[in-house]
Structure formats: C-alpha cells, structure tokens
Amino acid sequence: MPEKSGTKASKEVDRQLDRYRSMRDFSVTAEPSGKSSTGTKSTLPFVIQKHAATRLHYDFRLGWNGVLKSWAVAKGPSYFPGDKRLAVEVEDHPIEYGGFEGTIPKGQYGGGTVMVWDQGTWLPHGDADEGFRTGRLKFELHGAKLKGNWTLVRMGGKFAKESKPNWLLIKEHDVYERGPNDPPITEEAPDSAITGRDLDAIAKAEDHVWQSHVPESHGPNRSRLTLRRKAQSNSAAQSENKSKSKPAPLAAKSSAALSHAPHESIPHFLKPELASEAKSPPAGDDWLHELKLDGYRIQAHINGGKVTLYSRNGLDWTHRMPAIAHALQATAAKSAILDGEVVVLDEQGNASFAKLQAAFDVGSKAQMTYVLFDLPHLDGHNLRELPLDERKQILQSLITQLNDRAIRFSEHIRGNGVEMFSSACELGAEGIVSKKAGSKYCAGRSTDWLKSKCILQQEFVIGGYTLPSDRGSGIGALLLGYHQDGKLIYAGRTGTGFTQQSRAHLRKQLEKMRATKCAFAEVPRQEQRDAIWVKPELVGEVNFTTWTEGGMVRQASFQGLREDKSAKEVVREQAGAIAKPERKSPSAKSAPKSAPPKRSKDEAEVDGVRRGPREQVLVHGVKITHPDKVLDEETHLTKQQLAEYYSAVADVMLPHVADRPLSIVRCPEGSGKPCFFQKHIGPGLPSGIGSIPVKSKSGGKIEQYLTVSKAEGLIGFAQMGGLEIHPWGSRNESMETPDRLIFDLDPDESLEWKRLVASAIEVHDLLSQLGLESFVKSTGGKGIHVVAPIRPERSWAEVKDFAHRFARMMESSNPKLYLTKMTKAARKGRIYLDYLRNEREATAVAPYSPRARKGARVAIPFTWDELKKMTARPEFAVANFAEWKSRLKHDPWAKMESIHQSLTTQALRAVNDFAA
C-alpha cells in the first residue's frame, strides 16, 4: 500500500478513532460465549499495534467486556503452527486505544511510536470467559493481515509464577497456515493497516499524541479523556514553546471562519442552550453524539487575560475553581466564551457528581476537569450563528494548544447514535447528548440538542427529611418532590447515596430550614411518619431506576445538592419523541405534564421481566408473588426489585454460592421486623432451590440443607424474602474439606475505617508470606472479610486450627489492637479477629449479598488497590445498584476460581512454631 500524506493519514486515524469510540463497549454481549441473545454469532474487535518502545514488539489486543485484553508479543504473530510465540499478558487497555496510531511522549508509560499493524474482528470458539479463566482460549481472526484459527495458551510451571502471566500465541492448522520457510507476515506486511505508513513516517508526523498519565490513574480506563490531537500548523511551535511561552495564534482555518461571523462586544452572560429529553438517540449522520457528563454546567469568559467562570444561572464561581481559571489564561484568545461541563472523574473514568460536590463542599482535593463542547463567542465575533460542527472545530483548534489536564475537549462521533448510547450505558455513563451538526447556538431548551439517559436522573425539591434509625447526628432519608400546575408533588424518598459527611452536612442545613407545615400538596399517610418538614428551597440530584404506578421514584439514590438550580424550576422530566427539524425550541415553561404511566395487567416480557397480574410477576421464569411488598422500609426495596437484583448479579455471585450448603436470612415482613435464619428445606420452596443431605455434627442425624446451582435459585430466595445468603466454606461434593479460608475483621464502632483497612492489608501480607493469595470484600456492615481460596485437601479441624493460630499470632504481636475472643466488653477500640468462620456448619455472607438490615447494603468485593485508596466505609446498596452496576464487568474476585493453592505443611508449621 503506498504511503499517504501526513494529512490524509491523520484523517484516516481520526476516522478509525471515531469508529472505535462508537463501539466503545460493544464487546459486552448478552452471552459471553460469543453468541448473541438471538442465537446468532457476534463478532468482537481485535487490533495488533506495532510498538517501538524500549524494544520493538507487537501488542496483541482482543476486545472483551468493555476493554482490550492485551498481550505483548516480542516477535509478533506467525502463520507457521510450529512457532509458539511468547505473549506476555499486560494490563487491559481502553477500547478507544485500539484505534490509536501515533506517539506516546517519552517518560510516559509505553513511550514510543505506535502503529495499527492489523485490525479486524475476532470470534471466540466456545465460552471466552472460561477460556480466559482456564488459560486456553481458542478463536478465529478476521483481520487485514491475520485470518483463520488461533490459540492462546497460558503457561504453567515456573512461568506461572512470573509477575505478568506468560502465554503462547499459536496458529492452528487451517487453510491460512504457512510453512516454516515461508516469509514471516511481519516482514511481508510491515506497515500500517489503516494508513500505509511505516514507523518513521508516523513518528515524524506527530499528528496524534496519547497521554497515558499512568502515575496518577491506574486501570483499564486511565486514559479516558486524555487523547490529544496536535494541530498540524502548531506542531513545530509546540515542540519549541513550553507552557510558559506565549500562546500560538489560532489555526488559519479558524481565522477564516471568523471572517464571516458577525462582530460583537463580548456579552456579559449568555443563557445556555439546554437539551430536551428523548426516548432514544436520533438516527442519521446529521447528528453529533457526545457522552453526557454528570457535573456542573460552566460558562467561561475570557476577556483581556481575565477569566470568569459562571454557573448555568449566571453566578460567578471563579473562586471555586481556581485551577480551571488559571489553565484557561494560557489560551490564545483575546476574548472568548466557552461552554462546557466541570466534572470529577472516578476510578473507572466516569463523571461522578457526588465526587464533584465533595470537591466543593467537603474540601476534597479531587482533580476537576473542564470538558468543553461549544464556543459561542471568540475575539469579538458572534459564533452562535455558525453551524455546531464548525464551532467545535474552532474550539478544538483553540484549546489544543493547552497542555493542562484540567481542560479537555468533548469528543463526539457522527451518526451511530444507538450504538454509542448502548456502549455508554454498558460503561456506566449517564447517557449521551445528541446535537444537530448544522444547528445554531440557541438560548434555552432546544430540540436541536437531545439527551438520552441510561439511568433515570433528575433534580428534585427537598421538602422534608427523616432522622436515622439509630437517632444519630445525620439524616435517614430525604423527602422529594417536583412542581406541577403550581403545586409541589410528592415523589417519594431517598435514603442511600450519602456519605457520613454529607449526612451530617445536610442535617445541619435542613435544621435551619424547618417548617411547621408540609409544603407538598399531598403525601400518603404512611410516608408522613417520622417526617420533619422543611422549606422547599434546596434542590438535590437523584438517580433512580423507574417511576412507580403511584408516581414515586424507585430505588432512588442521592447524588448531591444542585446549587446552580432554583427549586421553582424543578419539574418532572419526561422523555418525548424526537422533534422534527423544523419545530422551534419549546419554552422551558411548557414542559409536558406527567401522569404516571398506566400498565395493563398483562404485558410482554421486557429485559427479562414479564408483567403478569398485579398480584404476581415472573422474573426470568420464577414466580414472584406480592411483588410490591416492601422488604426494606428505609429504601422502599420491594420483592420484585430484590429478585431483579439477584438476577443481575447471578453471574458474579454464583461462583461463590452455587453447589454449597446455604443458610439464608429471611425477612418476610421486611428488615425492620423479625427475621430468621433458615438452612433446612421446607414445603413449597420456589423452583430452582434444591437440597443436599448433611450429617449433623451433633448426633449424626441427616438433615436436608438448602442449596442452589443456577440463577433461578437466587431469585427464588427473593420470593422467600431472603435478604442475606450465607454459603459454607466447602462445596457439596467435598463437604468435609473446606476450600475457603476466611478471616472476619469485626471492628469496634469507634475504630476508623483507615485502621480497619490497614489491618486487612496486614492479614493479606502475612498470608502472602505463607504462600497464600487472598481476596477482600466489605461485609455490608462495619467489617471486612479476607478470603483465601485453598484446595479442598484438609479437614475442617485443621483449617480452623490454622486460622485460630494465625489470629493468635496477630493478637500477640499487637494486643492493644487485636483480640480473638468474642467478649463485647473487651472490644472497645479493637478489632475482633473472627476465625470461627472456618468451622464446619459456620457460614459467611456471600459476595454481592444484601444484608438484612435497614438500608439493605451489600457485601462488595474489591481489589486490594481499591481498598488501599478508600478513606471511608463504602456505601453500596441494592437501592443504588444502578449507580454501581458497571462494577460487575470487572469482578475483583473473578480470578479466585482459577487459583489452586494449598494450605501447605510449611504454612501450618510456621503458625504452629509461633504459637509454641
């Protein structure tokens, strides 16, 4: 393929990047086996990047579960089946990196030149998840250079002990294979598959630069929003001028655009253009689609070197975001108005409004990022009459000169809105905003801008609150509403999404706003109980899953206060049909009235839930009677919601629950009423729940214990009001030899979370010294579980004795902090090391299980790196599942099933010697 010019090559790479962004997370399929829900085979992306870093190598990447699974292949792939190419597994990369061809600056992770050597699609043979887990993955490639059947095999023996797992990439026998004397494909086709360039041409062009920023953000999405494209006309100037130099002038293309834009003095403040709600993204190439960001809308004014930052209602917030104001001072513009969203990104790269508010209100040092998407004014010219795509080109040219992490350009794709929306939802994003490419910038609500939301989210007026169940210093729940026809309509409550600090902060604010009368037009009697009314002046942002037939929000989770919104303008948002192009923007005052949707008694199956008669529903084939029965008063969690939650987490929960004796905590009347343990089967069990005969340790009597093997069993527990699931530490097939070693760190209430985290890490480090890899999870309460998988080789007595001596070892080394006796009186300021979870018939709460306590919080697995960064006890609950659902794609305990380690004689001797 002849080499193209640098400009054409750059455009081709841009096209590839847009393509990959539009398919960011399309590797997540309904069935990870490689078949879609319709039964037809679906393909996934793959890319091979030729990488001239410290050493030349080939990065082999397979798109799976929202990331690129990656291996470094030193010699590159070979079509000869006799060549077993060493492939060193490296960290997952973001999907968008698969389209990157350019340079990574020296000093950053992977610094060097990157070429897209090959790309295409791949198809797993069989269950890909099983292949990754067992270390034998068979698949078919359909690339520009690589085709046919291939295998990745993870090496064992000494190679399995390497810090990075070693695999072998092998060509299988088929029509595409070559002989040992045939020319290698890497020599036969050495250049880029998308631009035809060689490595030297790519390095000289400097048209694309990838900023990895690895030291500050690890993980598969660490580079999100950090892709920077150099303007061709500025590349030479940028290489010579650093951040302290005088900014370069705007690109010639931008200057030409300004020539036909009307002159004007810079306006004081522009009413921002707002998006209308849509049921689905619009189709066609006339639309640009951007990720919807959950932050504060900020309008930046640059005038004679002075930067002013305005909130969406015109308040001067410059003092609240000094770093952003400082960064914008380096722009080349004499005067400009920039429009964008200020966000704080979480560990997964998603915008987190809760973290943003904490950065303002609680003094967090979180990094704020200003993501820019429009440019209504520049250098004395009104750009609002120009088409959006032209304004964005000028904007990108303006800010590409800034080398500051605080300023980012809002990337978009043209067309493929449905695909991007689906990918955004899988990533855990709030949704997308679709904008008409040729539209002008218009003040107020517009149908030229349409927002499609993955999670229902809107602002609500706070009209009251309740005290926490323990009568502590914070709040229990907020009472929410919206305006309609001059009245404040009650919309339910939210009792989750708070931190300890935000609960206390809200209580302090609301105490000052107490009112003698209820501001809501009408509140159900049961909802008035324990309510404290306040003046309806504060506005809160809330995530929720749906509206109930009674007009209440379901599974609502508080995100933070909206200081930039007036309570009077809060109405119920309702998605409408996509407006016709010729319709003018409706006034914000003409928002449609919203009546709760009516349901027929029998509806079709939607997302696996078939609505039957009002007294029951089917959740994936399991009958749930009285589906609206509330199981948790604090969050209004219903039986149906619990069933749907168990269905959603079944894939990650079942490996630790299936085919084990189980005990469950049943709360037929809800968590606030008497609950009880059940471990034996009884009459009328729902389908999917089975039994396993267990000989009682006291007397040898045979008893039938509960057990499940499939998702239907978990959903059946919801039908029984089962709010907690506790498995044994052994499987049905090897009941007398446990395969889990569990340490329950149960702290005194007064102990800080950081101290508990440090103790869990100490357990992890000590087990590691004994040759045992361990995993960690919260308990859904105040404690932490450290769990080490072991081969089922030793008896319960041996495992319990080891755990006891291990705990005694820790207690002896620090008796002021640890104790191994259950005495409550002695636990003040200390951590009880509960080793008794390792006793026959003892259980521990399962990962992803709710707890049968008010709030229905969930026991959540973490990576050790995640735990180390946590400064406060995490808040995960069934009620805010929509908020953390994206965690299921990267289960921290997924590796546990593939670890085969023994509780060795040396380990037993080590703790025995200490005890002696």
Side-chain angles (χ1 to χ4, degrees), residues 4-42:
K4 301 178 182 180
S5 69
T7 301
K8 290 183 178 179
S10 176
K11 287 182 178 179
E12 179 63 16
V13 174
D14 289 345
R15 186 184 69 78
Q16 291 296 325
L17 282 167
D18 285 343
R19 172 177 174 269
Y20 271 90
R21 284 193 186 91
S22 71
M23 304 166 70
R24 288 179 68 99
D25 201 19
F26 74 104
S27 57
V28 181
T29 58
E31 298 176 15
S33 63
K35 293 183 178 181
S36 68
S37 58
T38 58
T40 59
K41 291 187 176 181
S42 59

Side-chain angles (χ1 to χ4, degrees), residues 634-756:
E634 184 172 302
T635 62
H636 292 254
L637 175 70
T638 66
K639 279 178 68 175
Q640 180 179 340
Q641 291 165 8
L642 180 64
E644 291 169 352
Y645 169 78
Y646 280 144
S647 175
V649 301
D651 287 345
V652 292
M653 191 178 186
L654 279 171
H656 315 287
V657 170
D659 301 317
R660 296 175 183 271
L662 302 173
S663 297
I664 64 171
V665 179
R666 293 182 61 186
C667 304
E669 300 304 317
S671 58
K673 302 292 176 63
C675 301
F676 59 94
F677 261 92
Q678 178 175 338
K679 59 184 180 180
H680 301 133
I681 64 168
L685 286 177
S687 60
I689 299 176
S691 64
I692 180 71
V694 176
K695 183 181 290 187
S696 171
K697 64 180 180 182
S698 56
K701 181 182 176 182
I702 300 295
E703 299 172 323
Q704 296 293 328
Y705 269 59
L706 298 168
T707 192
V708 299
S709 59
K710 297 180 179 180
E712 288 78 3
L714 297 180
I715 299 169
F717 286 150
Q719 165 61 17
M720 298 168 65
L723 273 172
E724 282 187 32
I725 300 176
H726 290 247
W728 277 33
S730 65
R731 297 180 182 274
N732 295 342
E733 63 198 36
S734 52
M735 201 174 299
E736 304 306 324
T737 49
D739 65 348
R740 294 285 188 271
L741 179 64
I742 303 171
F743 292 95
D744 182 358
L745 281 66
D746 188 3
D748 175 58
E749 292 279 1
S750 64
L751 212 64
E752 287 188 351
W753 173 256
K754 289 183 180 179
R755 177 62 265 183
L756 183 63

Side-chain angles (χ1 to χ4, degrees), residues 51 100 102-114 206 208-213 226 228 230 403:
H51 193 171
F100 174 68
T103 56
I104 301 174
K106 290 183 179 180
Q108 293 200 28
Y109 179 75
T113 306
V114 179
E206 290 189 318
H208 289 74
V209 179
W210 184 274
Q211 302 284 357
S212 59
H213 298 297
T226 62
R228 177 167 57 85
K230 288 188 177 180
N403 188 20

Side-chain angles (χ1 to χ4, degrees), residues 437-469:
S439 64
K440 301 176 183 180
Y441 189 95
C442 301
R445 194 72 60 183
S446 169
T447 52
D448 286 338
W449 289 18
L450 300 171
K451 55 185 177 182
S452 306
K453 295 183 180 181
C454 306
I455 300 169
L456 291 180
Q457 180 185 64
Q458 76 160 76
E459 295 81 30
F460 288 95
V461 179
I462 299 172
Y465 69 99
T466 64
L467 297 177
S469 55

